[in-house]
């Protein structure tokens, strides 16, 4: 018997698996920004393949298992479908595939309102870090819209992106007041999204700051917002890393991909913000953080393989645990 998941393994994946696409895709973005194009393309291929698998499963549940689809759509992890699509689209745009990126933006924009409303309706007090995906998904739309606006010279798209950006900040504040801060010392991995949501906010602000559409006081405000969001995300990074060192959680959980994503997003935000904010030291900082994210990604991959090797007869145990964890997010 093969120690790895067999045929049909994707049917047992919970929505939290979308964080793996987000993590690998944003690392691809960071590697592209630092000139490591070959490795970046490998990461892009991996994230794209996994996105196709999850998209097929998403569609199958929508058409053939409406009960499971409705149950999972109520959980914040469902928004990984939107966030993963926008991050992947951002990387495809950098590759020059603007039509594909635009199609992914349209798809994400169609999915976003229904999933967002479903998730918000089931919010409760003392939420885990996955609650911040309401911000991540919304800011992902802002990032991809700003990137496409710059690539295609679509001023109307550049002017629409700030609406998503501002809403994303409001959703972050709403999630923060419901966040269970005990997750910092006991979370299964998704608690890192508390910082990652600010990182993608900083990335969105940096893309808007770089746009020629915004000048004068608007440009200054965007630059200040970029630096503020980035500073807060780095503060979260320090707090969460310290908590990990003081309270180690070495056991593999699929929600650990929601740790890799903020690590990569913080690096990408620093790299992206360096030029439009004229803060040169953000680039070397971003390069250091990027390789930390790459190491975390490889470690998580190794932990995934090891977990299946140790329990070859039960390949979906971790997925079921994660599904129960996301189910706890519901009211």
């Amino acid at each position: 018997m093969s120690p790895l998941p067999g045929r049909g393994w994707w049917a047992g994946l919970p929505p939290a698996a979308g964080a793996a696409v987000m993590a690998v895709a944003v690392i691809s973005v960071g590697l592209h920004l630092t000139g490591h194009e070959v490795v970046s393309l490998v990461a892009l291929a991996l994230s794209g393949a996994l996105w196709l698998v999850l998209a097929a499963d998403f569609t199958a549940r929508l058409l053939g298992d409406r009960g499971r689809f409705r149950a999972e759509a109520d959980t914040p992890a469902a928004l990984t479908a939107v966030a993963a699509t926008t991050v992947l689209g951002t990387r495809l745009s950098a590759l020059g595939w603007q039509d594909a990126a635009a199609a992914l933006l349209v798809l994400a924009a169609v999915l976003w309102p229904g999933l967002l409303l479903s998730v918000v309706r089931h919010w409760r007090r003392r939420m885990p870090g996955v609650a911040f995906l309401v911000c991540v998904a919304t800011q992902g739309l802002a990032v991809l819209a700003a990137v496409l606006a710059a690539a295609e010279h679509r001023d109307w798209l550049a002017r629409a992106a700030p609406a998503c950006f501002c809403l994303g900040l409001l959703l972050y504040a709403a999630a923060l007041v419901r966040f269970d801060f005990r997750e910092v010392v006991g979370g299964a991995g998704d608690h890192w999204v508390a910082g990652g949501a600010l990182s993608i906010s900083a990335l969105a602000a940096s893309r808007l700051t770089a746009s020629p559409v915004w000048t004068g006081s608007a440009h200054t405000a965007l630059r200040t917002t970029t630096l503020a969001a980035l500073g807060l995300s780095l503060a979260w990074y320090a707090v969460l890393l310290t908590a990990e060192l003081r309270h180690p959680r070495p056991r593999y959980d699929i929600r650990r991909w929601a740790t890799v994503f903020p690590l990569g997003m913080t690096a990408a935000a620093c790299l992206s913000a360096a030029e439009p904010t004229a803060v040169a030291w953000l680039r070397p900082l971003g390069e250091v953080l990027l390789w930390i994210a790459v190491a975390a990604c490889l470690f998580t991959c190794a932990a995934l393989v090891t977990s299946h090797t140790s329990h070859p007869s039960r390949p979906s145990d971790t997925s079921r645990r994660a599904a129960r964890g996301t189910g706890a997010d519901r009211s």
Side-chain angles (χ1 to χ4, degrees):
M1 177 181 292
S2 171
L4 294 177
R7 187 177 181 180
W9 60 270
W10 56 84
L13 290 175
V21 180
M22 297 159 59
V24 181
V26 77
I27 286 175
S28 177
V29 171
L31 290 168
H32 167 70
L33 291 173
T34 53
H36 298 87
E37 200 64 26
V38 173
V39 185
S40 174
L41 290 175
V42 171
L44 173 60
L46 290 173
S47 62
L50 183 54
W51 183 89
L52 289 173
V53 168
L54 294 177
D57 184 46
F58 183 94
T59 303
R61 283 184 279 119
L62 176 63
L63 299 178
D65 192 352
R66 297 300 295 275
R68 179 186 170 192
F69 179 84
R70 285 192 295 269
E72 292 182 343
D74 292 344
T75 66
L79 284 166
T80 58
V82 176
T85 300
T86 59
V87 178
L88 183 61
T90 298
R91 180 63 185 95
L92 291 178
S93 178
L95 195 61
W97 296 5
Q98 307 308 336
D99 289 343
L104 290 179
L105 175 59
V106 171
L107 176 60
V110 169
L111 293 174
W112 171 73
L115 290 175
L116 180 66
L117 290 174
S118 181
V119 167
V120 170
R121 282 202 307 268
H122 291 86
W123 259 358
R124 58 178 177 78
R125 298 181 61 187
R126 294 187 176 180
M127 296 283 288
V130 73
F132 290 99
L133 281 170
V134 294
C135 171
V136 172
T138 307
Q139 296 293 18
L141 290 171
V143 171
L144 184 50
V147 166
L148 279 171
E152 295 287 287
H153 306 289
R154 306 289 185 183
D155 287 355
W156 67 269
L157 198 53
R159 296 184 187 280
C164 285
F165 172 70
C166 292
L167 178 58
L169 293 180
L170 292 175
L171 288 169
Y172 184 88
L176 184 63
V177 299
R178 291 170 175 80
F179 179 52
D180 185 355
F181 284 87
R182 293 175 299 181
E183 291 286 303
V184 172
V185 297
D190 57 316
H191 56 292
W192 276 81
V193 184
L198 284 171
S199 297
I200 195 171
S201 297
L203 178 60
S206 71
R207 297 293 188 178
L208 291 170
T209 303
S211 173
V213 171
W214 307 108
T215 59
S217 59
H219 178 273
T220 301
L222 285 169
R223 179 182 182 274
T224 301
T225 303
T226 300
L227 294 174
L230 193 53
L232 290 172
S233 72
L234 289 171
W236 262 116
Y237 193 115
V239 170
L240 292 167
L241 181 59
T242 300
E244 291 280 356
L245 295 175
R246 289 178 60 86
H247 305 278
R249 284 150 274 184
R251 187 174 182 178
Y252 174 76
D253 189 293
I254 197 168
R255 286 166 288 185
R256 267 305 178 192
W257 289 105
T259 298
V260 179
F261 169 71
L263 293 175
M265 183 54 71
T266 305
C270 288
L271 292 167
S272 180
E275 184 176 346
T277 61
V279 181
W281 57 265
L282 285 175
R283 183 167 182 83
L285 174 61
E287 291 174 352
V288 172
L289 296 180
L290 175 62
W291 292 114
I292 293 175
V294 171
C297 183
L298 294 175
F299 181 82
T300 305
C301 284
L304 168 63
V305 173
T306 300
S307 69
H308 285 297
T309 303
S310 302
H311 304 285
S313 62
R314 297 185 299 169
S316 297
D317 283 355
T318 301
S319 297
R320 286 195 290 269
R321 287 197 300 271
R324 288 196 294 272
T326 54
D329 299 343
R330 301 177 62 194
S331 59

